[in-house]
Amino acid sequence: MRALVTGGAGFIGSHLVDALLVRGWEVVALDNLFTGQRANIAHLAAEHRFRFVEGDVCDAHLVDELIRGCDVVFHLAAVVGVKHVIDNPLAGMRTNVLGTANVLAAAHRHGVRVCLASSSEVYGQSEDVPFVEDGPRVLGPTWIPRWSYATAKALDEHLCFAYRDRGLEVSVVRYFNAYGPRTDPRGYGSVVARFVNQALSGEPLTVHGDGQQTRSFTYVSDSVEGTIRAGTMPAALGEAFNLGSEEEITIERLAREIIALTGSRSALTYMPYEAAFGAHFAEPRRRVPNAGKARRLIGFEPQVSLQDGLRRTIEWFRG
Ligand code: NAD
């Protein structure tokens, strides 16, 4: 089997590359290293079944060339992380919409199956928690840049289903706060990475808002296993799946848990959202998946508890 992994030098993408290689696949990773890092794939330098291509997913010609001859495209390339999206909404929309349109058009031309990485962000501020795949999406106004990410991902999903209706084999995974080794230590896109980094340096852990907002955290190996299942199993065709742990935790508790596991003396400091992200910032209060559909159709069952996952992540950050 042969795969193209877009965003393959990124956090989840590089773990996905590793997992596919272990299963005997040939893998090409396409990444422009916007947030991806060569270090994430450096250990694969001598692997003859792996090739890295530095390039832009918006380059239609390149994408077409790389997709031809593949069995599956795992499309993860995106501008990710609230801060990046807010700082640079145009770049975000360009990659997150145009890039996906390119991938889908080429995959359709060549009859190659696609698995799209979408996000729990598509549910926006829906209070219908835990989220189910066919539940409502509640987004704020279009002049708040934050919602451009959710809107772009939702448009990507629409594109997938439009191509599905034209015969493309496609599935969609909505990740819920994946974390683990190789997250950006500056914490872009990962509150776990930011907290671990702050705890290990003895700095205060910066909790945005009152810390009572909840999230569910999924260890990256579980996200990757679900992604491979969604990208290869017949039962996943034409479907969207929540890929996330159903364990809900407040951000404040997460911070305290990380302080305890690192043995840090750090305190917590609370920062209003406006100070962190500017005026007009909006944040979903609770974000928890119902993963029943993924469990039923593709046997998705997270294996790594939050404590274990945090321990492994802390160990990696220490290293
Ligand atoms: P990441 O930033 O590490 O991965 C994204 C990768 O895409 C990076 O390597 C980046 O360099 C690459 N990229 C960006 N623009 C590109 C372009 N124009 N051309 C080629 N490559 C480009 O973040 P991640 O957490 O690994 O995210 C992977 C995917 O999962 C993304 O699609 C993201 O939206 C989605 N997702 C992640 C999470 C999470 O919890 N980590 C949650 C929801 C959705």
Side-chain angles (χ1 to χ4, degrees), residues 168-183:
L168 181 68
E169 295 192 338
V170 67
S171 46
V172 171
V173 292
R174 296 176 179 164
Y175 296 128
F176 284 70
N177 288 69
Y179 73 99
R182 301 182 196 158
T183 32

Side-chain angles (χ1 to χ4, degrees), residues 5-15 30-37 40 52-59 62-63 75-81 84 91-92 94-96 99-100 116-122 149 153 156 173-179 182-184 188-190 216-218 220 223 243 287:
V5 178
T6 72
F11 160 52
I12 303 177
S14 64
H15 285 284
L30 170 67
D31 202 299
N32 70 351
L33 303 178
F34 176 65
T35 47
Q37 313 245 5
N40 291 343
F52 174 60
V53 176
E54 184 175 346
D56 191 334
V57 78
C58 297
D59 179 342
L62 175 65
V63 165
H75 177 43
L76 279 74
V79 172
V80 186
H84 282 305
R94 177 179 172 272
T95 294
N96 298 357
T100 303
L116 168 82
S118 183
S119 173
S120 54
E121 279 275 328
V122 297
Y149 175 75
K153 286 287 181 184
D156 290 347
V173 292
R174 296 176 179 164
Y175 296 128
F176 284 70
N177 288 69
Y179 73 99
R182 301 182 196 158
T183 32
D184 190 322
Y188 286 130
S190 171
S216 75
F217 293 90
T218 314
V220 65
S223 310
L243 284 192
R287 186 189 279 160

Side-chain angles (χ1 to χ4, degrees), residues 119-148:
S119 173
S120 54
E121 279 275 328
V122 297
Y123 295 105
Q125 287 178 303
S126 165
E127 290 177 359
D128 213 354
V129 180
F131 299 142
V132 286
E133 288 82 351
D134 54 2
R137 302 194 301 109
V138 181
L139 302 185
T142 46
W143 52 88
I144 295 185
R146 188 231 164 87
W147 299 119
S148 68

Side-chain angles (χ1 to χ4, degrees), residues 36-316:
Q37 313 245 5
R38 280 186 194 279
N40 291 343
I41 47 170
H43 59 289
L44 301 174
E47 173 55 68
H48 67 279
R49 284 181 289 114
F50 175 70
R51 182 159 72 96
F52 174 60
V53 176
E54 184 175 346
D56 191 334
V57 78
C58 297
D59 179 342
H61 183 73
L62 175 65
V63 165
D64 187 272
E65 206 173 278
L66 296 178
I67 284 182
R68 206 176 333 129
C70 282
D71 297 290
V72 183
V73 186
F74 294 94
H75 177 43
L76 279 74
V79 172
V80 186
V82 172
K83 180 121 185 69
H84 282 305
V85 169
I86 289 179
D87 288 349
N88 211 338
L90 285 178
M93 284 183 271
R94 177 179 172 272
T95 294
N96 298 357
V97 177
L98 247 187
T100 303
N102 276 342
V103 166
L104 291 171
H108 187 241
R109 259 192 307 279
H110 299 297
V112 175
R113 183 168 174 166
V114 177
C115 181
L116 168 82
S118 183
S119 173
S120 54
E121 279 275 328
V122 297
Y123 295 105
Q125 287 178 303
S126 165
E127 290 177 359
D128 213 354
V129 180
F131 299 142
V132 286
E133 288 82 351
D134 54 2
R137 302 194 301 109
V138 181
L139 302 185
T142 46
W143 52 88
I144 295 185
R146 188 231 164 87
W147 299 119
S148 68
Y149 175 75
T151 301
K153 286 287 181 184
L155 183 57
D156 290 347
E157 293 196 15
H158 275 298
L159 283 165
C160 283
F161 294 117
Y163 274 104
R164 173 197 64 185
D165 296 343
R166 293 187 168 203
L168 181 68
E169 295 192 338
V170 67
S171 46
V172 171
V173 292
R174 296 176 179 164
Y175 296 128
F176 284 70
N177 288 69
Y179 73 99
R182 301 182 196 158
T183 32
D184 190 322
R186 290 164 299 179
Y188 286 130
S190 171
V191 62
V192 171
R194 188 161 52 77
F195 282 171
V196 170
N197 209 27
Q198 289 173 324
L200 290 179
S201 351
E203 290 167 23
L205 275 62
T206 322
V207 172
H208 295 150
D210 64 3
Q212 296 311 302
Q213 67 275 31
T214 69
R215 295 293 180 267
S216 75
F217 293 90
T218 314
Y219 192 67
V220 65
S221 58
D222 287 325
S223 310
V224 162
E225 175 64 32
T227 305
I228 296 178
R229 285 170 183 255
T232 55
M233 291 177 69
L237 283 173
E239 302 286 348
F241 297 99
N242 288 338
L243 284 192
S245 154
E246 290 172 322
E247 191 183 336
E248 183 176 14
I249 181 171
T250 66
I251 294 299
E252 186 182 72
R253 216 188 89 257
L254 175 77
R256 295 202 190 284
E257 196 83 39
I258 288 174
I259 288 175
L261 288 169
T262 49
S264 167
R265 294 183 165 192
S266 294
L268 303 190
T269 172
Y270 294 81
M271 182 185 278
Y273 286 116
E274 311 81 65
F277 301 111
H280 306 306
F281 183 76
E283 176 81 340
R285 194 70 180 157
R286 292 178 69 198
R287 186 189 279 160
V288 191
N290 175 329
K293 181 177 174 185
R295 207 163 26 239
R296 238 177 14 259
L297 291 188
I298 57 173
F300 171 72
E301 202 70 67
Q303 301 294 316
V304 182
S305 69
L306 183 60
Q307 282 237 334
D308 272 358
L310 290 177
R311 269 196 207 100
R312 292 184 205 182
T313 309
I314 291 165
E315 206 168 293
W316 181 81

